[in-house]
Amino acid sequence: MDASTLALPQIGLAGLAVMGQNLALNIAEKGFPISVYNRTSSKVDETVSRAREEGGLPLAGHYSPREFVLSIKRPRSIVILVKAGAPVDQTISALSQYMEPGDAIIDGGNEWYENTERRIAEADQRGLLYLGMGVSGGEEGARRGPSLMPGGSYQAYENVRDIVRKVAAQVDDGPCVTYVGPGGSGNFVKMVHNGIEYGDMQLISEAYDVLKTVGGLSNSELADIFSEWNRGELESFLIEITADIFKVKDDLTGDGELVDKILDKTGMKGTGKWTVQQAAELSIAAPTIAASLDCRYLSGLKEERENAARVLKDAGIGGPGEVLLGRSLDKRRLIDDVRQALYASKICSYAQGMNLLRVKSVEKGWDLNLGELARIWKGGCIIRAVFLDRIKKAYERNQELPNLVVDPDFAREMVQRQAAWRRVVGLAIEAGISTPGMCASLSYFDTYRRARLPANLVQAQRDLFGAHTYERVDRPGSFHTEWTKLARQSKPGAVGAFS
């Protein structure tokens, strides 16, 4: 649409890679005129052309920062969708010199939350408002309805509230957007969302590996199984797309399914690593998410893994699943066991992410509403799943819930599934198939439910070699013992009885 015929927009978007283009077109399609800008002119032309082809949407392209900013009605709201880090600062610098007090910058990228907090302070010095807004859903979500997680200036959110509520994915209890909180909370929530996503994808890949390697299931059978699972408690975006992946043929060779031809090396962009680092900083156990990150690191060692497979085979170890050859296997039971193990493991992964959000919220004073965050993840985003509604209700029942596994409903489900969960993990270990995500989830569950752990011995060790002191179970206070001195003074025990 020609800029001269476009009603003066109240919003603009800078950064027209596919995500930026799709979000801009989504905004325009919802009836909100929008100005767009990109340093590369061809991207502007491409976006304008798409707007014309997709129904004459009210979108106008601009080719300079000044022209772009001045085309927007005050108070301006400008969304930036460029690569995190220095490119964001460069874009802000180019645009802000033409912006005026009361205008707002909205960063929609996967930015480190402390960078957002620095930019909030810098924007405030110039009278500008600032939002760090997590956007989840990929290219399709950006175009059709993402989950949006804005945090920072509440006034900046209010200025675009009507727009983002229309643009976001819509679920039964409202649009998948909420004002998350002050500071960098929006970016932090999106980061943890991505960490949960890492865990979710790892767990699904392990379920696939067990079914394929132990169960001997074909890709066609796997497609049917995942499609069936997507009609039950595991209903989710990731389960749905996994079923679709198994159906796609290899069009280059015409031989078999494409999934089997993909190199087993996983990429990453950093948000999973940040999540694990933050969990460590806050002393929050997130073993499932950490295991998924470790698996991505190990997947990158393709040549080393191939060499290890050869060396260890020569040393006498069989390949994955070989130990089970010849053993009768109830495939129907295996499939059902894996379904239950996957569900229970996923709950632990989500619990770890929610706990990280809860503790960070207290530290920063963000006052995050965990139930509301679960609600806005019900649609649009990558981790959207039917059980998010139950997570929402769990936090509505108890806003101080310390862990999802002790919510009465989830506790019952975990107990009901633990036998199947243990069978799957045990079978995988016996078969030499790595299931680090499921194992981490099960260990997390078993550790969390223990009233007493062997940590007493670890603390005794720490006191012996470092005089770190310890507490007792029977009286208050801190204690230190001269362990080695006392041990050497004691009489020999009956150790020989066990020799």
Side-chain angles (χ1 to χ4, degrees), residues 365-410:
W366 285 339
D367 195 26
L368 298 181
N369 184 330
L370 300 184
E372 178 68 356
L373 296 180
R375 187 195 69 77
I376 67 169
W377 289 344
K378 285 168 57 178
C381 70
I382 303 301
I383 66 169
R384 61 184 182 265
V386 69
F387 67 69
L388 277 161
D389 189 60
R390 302 182 55 219
I391 292 176
K392 180 197 79 166
K393 290 175 180 175
Y395 285 109
E396 286 176 346
R397 283 192 293 271
N398 180 7
Q399 293 184 5
E400 304 301 320
L401 184 68
N403 195 299
L404 282 175
V405 302
V406 294
D407 171 77
D409 285 359
F410 283 119

Side-chain angles (χ1 to χ4, degrees), residues 237-304:
F237 173 71
L238 286 170
I239 295 292
E240 176 187 349
I241 66 170
T242 300
D244 289 340
I245 286 168
F246 291 128
K247 299 173 186 175
V248 177
K249 301 294 183 182
D250 180 10
D251 59 354
L252 288 182
T253 65
D255 177 31
E257 286 77 33
L258 178 57
V259 67
D260 293 328
K261 309 296 175 59
I262 296 175
L263 184 67
D264 53 322
K265 288 174 67 172
T266 306
M268 67 189 88
K269 292 187 176 179
T271 46
K273 179 180 178 181
W274 290 346
T275 303
V276 173
Q277 288 174 330
Q278 277 294 295
E281 288 277 338
L282 294 164
S283 301
I284 295 298
T288 311
I289 299 171
S292 71
L293 185 65
D294 287 340
C295 282
R296 295 197 183 198
Y297 293 150
L298 285 166
S299 77
L301 305 177
K302 177 65 173 175
E303 291 182 6
E304 289 185 39

Side-chain angles (χ1 to χ4, degrees), residues 145-456:
S147 176
L148 300 173
M149 296 154 253
S153 165
Y154 185 73
Q155 184 58 54
Y157 171 72
E158 280 292 294
N159 291 351
V160 294
R161 183 176 182 273
D162 291 345
I163 296 175
V164 295
R165 285 176 63 84
K166 284 280 187 69
V167 165
Q170 307 293 314
V171 292
D172 56 354
D173 49 4
C176 293
V177 60
T178 191
Y179 174 72
V180 171
S185 59
N187 292 120
F188 193 90
V189 167
K190 176 57 164 56
M191 177 198 77
V192 174
H193 163 285
N194 286 18
I196 294 171
E197 178 185 311
Y198 272 50
D200 221 344
M201 295 171 75
Q202 176 63 31
L203 292 168
I204 291 170
S205 75
E206 292 173 14
Y208 152 67
D209 196 10
V210 171
L211 292 174
K212 186 179 182 70
T213 307
V214 175
L217 299 174
S218 68
N219 289 326
S220 176
E221 290 173 313
L222 288 166
D224 291 341
I225 289 164
F226 275 79
S227 292
E228 181 181 343
W229 285 357
N230 198 48
R231 293 189 288 272
E233 63 189 5
L234 288 172
E235 181 185 340
S236 63
F237 173 71
L238 286 170
I239 295 292
E240 176 187 349
I241 66 170
T242 300
D244 289 340
I245 286 168
F246 291 128
K247 299 173 186 175
V248 177
K249 301 294 183 182
D250 180 10
D251 59 354
L252 288 182
T253 65
D255 177 31
E257 286 77 33
L258 178 57
V259 67
D260 293 328
K261 309 296 175 59
I262 296 175
L263 184 67
D264 53 322
K265 288 174 67 172
T266 306
M268 67 189 88
K269 292 187 176 179
T271 46
K273 179 180 178 181
W274 290 346
T275 303
V276 173
Q277 288 174 330
Q278 277 294 295
E281 288 277 338
L282 294 164
S283 301
I284 295 298
T288 311
I289 299 171
S292 71
L293 185 65
D294 287 340
C295 282
R296 295 197 183 198
Y297 293 150
L298 285 166
S299 77
L301 305 177
K302 177 65 173 175
E303 291 182 6
E304 289 185 39
R305 289 188 289 111
E306 290 178 332
N307 182 60
R310 287 190 295 268
V311 170
L312 293 169
K313 182 177 181 181
D314 290 343
I317 194 170
E322 284 186 20
V323 70
L324 301 177
L325 290 176
R327 186 185 302 183
S328 62
L329 188 70
D330 185 339
K331 286 190 179 182
R332 182 167 295 184
R333 181 182 179 183
L334 176 66
I335 292 166
D336 191 59
D337 279 356
V338 172
R339 173 186 62 79
Q340 295 187 65
L342 178 56
Y343 181 81
S345 297
K346 281 162 65 80
I347 294 301
C348 287
S349 185
Y350 279 72
Q352 293 160 30
M354 300 309 274
N355 284 349
L356 178 53
L357 290 174
R358 177 173 55 83
V359 173
K360 190 67 174 183
S361 177
V362 172
E363 180 196 75
K364 300 289 288 185
W366 285 339
D367 195 26
L368 298 181
N369 184 330
L370 300 184
E372 178 68 356
L373 296 180
R375 187 195 69 77
I376 67 169
W377 289 344
K378 285 168 57 178
C381 70
I382 303 301
I383 66 169
R384 61 184 182 265
V386 69
F387 67 69
L388 277 161
D389 189 60
R390 302 182 55 219
I391 292 176
K392 180 197 79 166
K393 290 175 180 175
Y395 285 109
E396 286 176 346
R397 283 192 293 271
N398 180 7
Q399 293 184 5
E400 304 301 320
L401 184 68
N403 195 299
L404 282 175
V405 302
V406 294
D407 171 77
D409 285 359
F410 283 119
R412 279 191 295 273
E413 294 200 327
M414 301 294 277
V415 171
Q416 290 166 0
R417 286 159 180 76
Q418 68 161 336
W421 196 4
R422 297 182 195 284
R423 283 195 295 270
V424 171
V425 169
L427 187 64
I429 291 171
E430 184 183 5
I433 298 169
S434 64
T435 52
M438 287 188 182
C439 286
S441 284
L442 182 55
S443 293
Y444 176 81
F445 174 72
D446 280 340
T447 303
Y448 189 72
R449 71 185 182 85
R450 287 281 299 277
R452 183 164 174 83
L453 294 169
N456 55 316

Side-chain angles (χ1 to χ4, degrees), residues 104-119:
I105 297 167
I106 304 170
D107 178 14
N110 282 332
E111 187 56 271
W112 175 237
Y113 83 99
E114 289 182 341
N115 284 342
T116 295
E117 296 193 333
R118 167 178 58 81
R119 292 177 186 134

